Amino acid sequence: MQTAPAAPVRFVPRETALRTPSAPAAVSTLCSTCHLKDLCLPCGLTGSDVQRLDGLKFARRRVKEGEALYHEGDRFQFVYAVRSGTFKSTLNLKDGREQVTGFQIAGELLGLDGLASGKHASSAIALEDTEICAIPYAHLTELATVSPDLHIAMSRMMSREIVREHGLMMLLGSMNAEQRLAAFLLNVSQRLKARGYSATEFHLRMMRVDIGSYLGMKLETVSRTFTAFQQQGLLKVDKKHVKILDLEGLQAIFDGQVH
Amino acid sequence: MQTAPAAPVRFVPRETALRTPSAPAAVSTLCSTCHLKDLCLPCGLTGSDVQRLDGLKFARRRVKEGEALYHEGDRFQFVYAVRSGTFKSTLNLKDGREQVTGFQIAGELLGLDGLASGKHASSAIALEDTEICAIPYAHLTELATVSPDLHIAMSRMMSREIVREHGLMMLLGSMNAEQRLAAFLLNVSQRLKARGYSATEFHLRMMRVDIGSYLGMKLETVSRTFTAFQQQGLLKVDKKHVKILDLEGLQAIFDGQVH
DNA sequence: CGCAAGGTTGAGATATTTCAATAGGAGTGG
DNA sequence: CCACTCCTATTGAAATATCTCAACCTTGCG
């Protein structure tokens, strides 16, 4: 994850997925030649299954910083795979605030929550300029009837999302501010590492208020907790730039060994 | 949900699913004649698909109060459908406490989180004497390759679980104690109503500490909040027996209209 | 009968929030 | 290029919701 030039766009235009694509012509993509194939949907599939996926020729699309890939309530047609960049998934609260339910980076899927009701249950907002693959769900389902392995891969993806949310519930239900932020940083670190980036130095793409929403705390508390970690010598922070100095120390906090 | 005689069993014996069944011979069950078919797995499926499910002849099993249907870490082989009674799903925390991630009643599925890794990611504990259908996942997957509708039904079930957890994250991340308990009670009320029980008067099968764990608050706070609701004339509580007097009032609290 | 478990209530402790002030950086426009 | 503004982040101090610890009550069961 390297620094990207910040785009000025801050508003979130109402735009239905792929109806008004940012790029004039959609570029199609093959899973078999994708550098993310070991992290993304094709992970664990055999060559013939991946070739079947190739047959779908997923449309590629760019989503600029601040724009929405889809909004809560939009019709569910596609599952999306992040090719590059970072998204946040959000729910609209009744009082107008938003609740962040997750952050997605390269190789991760977006939109699986839309299947339940046929409408997206959350919005996906780009936190920087991004590129995604749009995977037509109907076609994917068709393929899954031919390939049991693909069916299993899809189910596993969804199950993984359930497990991820379990972990988050644990976090929100039973941990204090330091444990939550430690958990968050360790999680980011580990995901970046899996993608070949540094596990200890990175730019957070989201604002304090987003981290706070995700972790169930106020942005000021996030900021104070960063400062506290820095004072404990666990990391160095400068706004969005984080350098972790003591991964085990963070882990110990997460594990509740430090009070 | 009517009052059941409380069983004395409180401990949780280590017992692998179906390896040492409580009942000597497993009774098999047909979806087509099940009174839960409109709530459970077959919901939305056509007659021929339901007949295919019938062919699997799901084993039925009783799980007594306090016993585990499966434990975190057990090998994942079955998805379970609750026929009667109530379960709680729990995660083990590193410090020995447990985090409740959900409560399941008749017609709801258990175990979908096990698919991700092939091991159950949570434990399922019976809160009263219960009966379940054990659905062999491998067979279900096989059937899904024949029937696209079944594939979709399964995916939808998982997606629904994701959406449910989204809601819980919203709760845990952004609501105060009164809103959380109101949300919980409204949810219980609505689920019981969908099963033909009273929406306003019911027995909670779980202890205060379980409700607290689920809602991310201490048992004393749960108790105090019940008392507060009673003083506001929203409901009457006597231990586990709850009678809701003002559903809209609870909804208003949930919606954050009352501070 | 007496004990253990579950639930309620009170009072003080504490973590986090709220409100408010400050500062730095990025983009804008003259 | 500089002044200006807006946005984000930081920090302090006071307010508050929830937790903690403790006592007490009720109930069911051995």
Side-chain angles (χ1 to χ4, degrees):
Chain A
M1 221 158 154
Q2 62 271 61
T3 321
V9 190
R10 282 266 75 118
F11 63 94
V12 178
R14 193 83 200 169
E15 173 194 33
T16 303
L18 287 188
R19 201 163 302 159
T20 53
S22 307
V27 190
S28 86
T29 317
L30 298 182
C31 284
S32 56
T33 59
C34 178
H35 63 290
L36 291 165
K37 66 163 174 279
D38 294 331
L39 289 164
C40 195
L41 183 64
C43 165
L45 293 180
T46 62
S48 61
D49 280 329
V50 177
Q51 275 172 12
R52 271 192 270 263
L53 284 176
D54 281 354
L56 296 185
K57 291 198 196 307
F58 303 146
R60 245 196 257 184
R61 182 178 149 210
R62 292 180 182 283
V63 182
K64 287 212 280 264
E65 180 178 355
E67 288 181 357
L69 175 56
Y70 53 80
H71 285 93
E72 194 175 330
D74 282 354
R75 187 151 77 94
F76 169 74
Q77 286 177 276
F78 299 92
V79 170
Y80 302 95
V82 180
R83 290 180 55 80
S84 68
T86 310
F87 283 87
K88 67 173 174 183
S89 294
T90 65
L91 298 171
N92 296 125
L93 298 175
K94 285 175 293 287
D95 60 10
R97 289 176 306 159
E98 67 174 33
Q99 167 74 38
V100 174
T101 60
F103 299 106
Q104 288 79 26
I105 62 176
E108 296 177 337
L109 294 188
L110 271 163
L112 288 171
D113 60 7
L115 234 130
S117 66
K119 288 170 187 287
H120 283 288
S122 57
S123 307
I125 315 287
L127 295 177
E128 58 188 317
D129 291 358
T130 58
E131 198 176 23
I132 55 95
C133 279
I135 306 170
Y137 182 70
H139 295 179
L140 201 58
T141 295
E142 253 173 61
L143 271 197
T145 63
V146 183
S147 158
D149 283 354
L150 180 60
H151 168 82
I152 291 172
M154 285 172 62
S155 299
R156 197 170 291 164
M157 281 284 183
M158 302 194 72
S159 182
R160 208 167 291 162
E161 176 71 7
I162 293 172
V163 173
R164 181 187 77 79
E165 301 203 351
H166 276 180
L168 205 48
M169 285 172 53
M170 199 165 101
L171 199 103
L172 293 169
S174 75
M175 295 187 177
N176 65 28
E178 294 208 340
Q179 289 179 300
R180 292 179 198 203
L181 189 62
F184 172 72
L185 292 171
L186 289 168
N187 178 259
V188 168
S189 163
Q190 184 242 305
R191 281 152 76 194
L192 291 176
K193 188 179 175 188
R195 282 153 186 80
Y197 296 108
S198 167
T200 55
E201 192 163 5
F202 42 82
H203 277 274
L204 296 170
R205 311 319 300 223
M206 63 295 287
M207 299 188 304
R208 296 287 186 265
V209 70
D210 290 327
I211 299 177
S213 172
Y214 182 61
L215 297 178
M217 52 209 247
K218 296 292 154 186
L219 68 99
E220 293 96 330
T221 309
V222 175
S223 185
R224 279 185 242 275
T225 308
F226 266 121
T227 305
F229 282 172
Q230 180 159 317
Q231 283 167 357
Q232 292 166 55
L234 294 167
L235 48 75
K236 292 195 66 171
V237 218
D238 179 31
K239 308 271 185 258
K240 293 194 156 79
H241 185 89
V242 174
K243 178 167 185 167
I244 298 178
L245 303 173
D246 183 0
L247 267 175
E248 288 107 57
L250 275 184
Q251 184 68 47
I253 287 194
F254 172 55
D255 290 345
Q257 291 165 25
V258 184
H259 300 278
Chain B
M1 223 159 147
Q2 63 273 57
T3 323
V9 190
R10 283 267 75 120
F11 64 93
V12 178
R14 193 83 200 168
E15 174 194 31
T16 303
L18 287 189
R19 201 161 306 157
T20 54
S22 306
V27 192
S28 85
T29 316
L30 300 182
C31 284
S32 57
T33 59
C34 179
H35 63 291
L36 291 165
K37 66 164 173 278
D38 294 330
L39 289 164
C40 195
L41 184 63
C43 166
L45 293 180
T46 62
S48 62
D49 280 329
V50 177
Q51 274 173 12
R52 270 192 270 264
L53 284 176
D54 281 353
L56 296 184
K57 290 198 197 308
F58 304 146
R60 242 196 260 184
R61 183 177 147 211
R62 292 180 182 281
V63 183
K64 287 213 280 265
E65 180 177 357
E67 288 181 357
L69 176 57
Y70 54 81
H71 285 92
E72 195 175 331
D74 281 354
R75 185 151 78 93
F76 169 74
Q77 287 177 276
F78 299 91
V79 169
Y80 302 94
V82 181
R83 290 182 53 81
S84 67
T86 311
F87 283 87
K88 67 172 174 184
S89 293
T90 65
L91 298 170
N92 297 124
L93 297 175
K94 286 176 293 287
D95 60 9
R97 289 175 306 159
E98 67 173 34
Q99 168 73 39
V100 174
T101 59
F103 299 106
Q104 289 78 26
I105 63 176
E108 297 177 337
L109 294 189
L110 270 164
L112 289 171
D113 60 7
L115 237 127
S117 67
K119 288 170 187 288
H120 284 287
S122 57
S123 307
I125 315 288
L127 295 176
E128 59 188 315
D129 291 359
T130 58
E131 198 175 22
I132 55 94
C133 278
I135 307 171
Y137 182 70
H139 293 180
L140 200 58
T141 295
E142 255 173 60
L143 271 197
T145 62
V146 184
S147 156
D149 284 352
L150 180 59
H151 169 82
I152 291 172
M154 285 172 63
S155 299
R156 196 168 293 164
M157 281 284 183
M158 302 194 72
S159 182
R160 208 168 291 163
E161 177 71 7
I162 293 172
V163 173
R164 182 187 76 80
E165 301 202 352
H166 275 179
L168 204 48
M169 286 172 53
M170 199 165 101
L171 199 103
L172 293 169
S174 74
M175 293 188 178
N176 65 27
E178 294 207 343
Q179 288 178 298
R180 293 179 197 203
L181 189 61
F184 172 72
L185 292 171
L186 289 169
N187 178 259
V188 168
S189 164
Q190 184 243 305
R191 281 151 77 196
L192 291 177
K193 188 179 175 187
R195 282 153 187 80
Y197 297 108
S198 166
T200 55
E201 192 161 6
F202 43 81
H203 277 274
L204 296 169
R205 312 319 299 221
M206 63 295 286
M207 298 188 305
R208 295 289 187 264
V209 70
D210 291 327
I211 299 177
S213 173
Y214 182 61
L215 298 179
M217 51 209 248
K218 296 293 154 184
L219 68 98
E220 294 95 330
T221 309
V222 174
S223 185
R224 277 186 244 275
T225 309
F226 266 122
T227 305
F229 282 171
Q230 180 159 326
Q231 283 166 356
Q232 291 166 55
L234 294 167
L235 48 74
K236 292 195 66 171
V237 217
D238 180 31
K239 308 271 185 257
K240 293 194 157 79
H241 185 89
V242 174
K243 177 167 186 166
I244 297 179
L245 302 174
D246 183 0
L247 268 174
E248 288 109 58
L250 274 183
Q251 184 68 46
I253 288 195
F254 171 55
D255 291 344
Q257 293 165 22
V258 184
H259 300 280

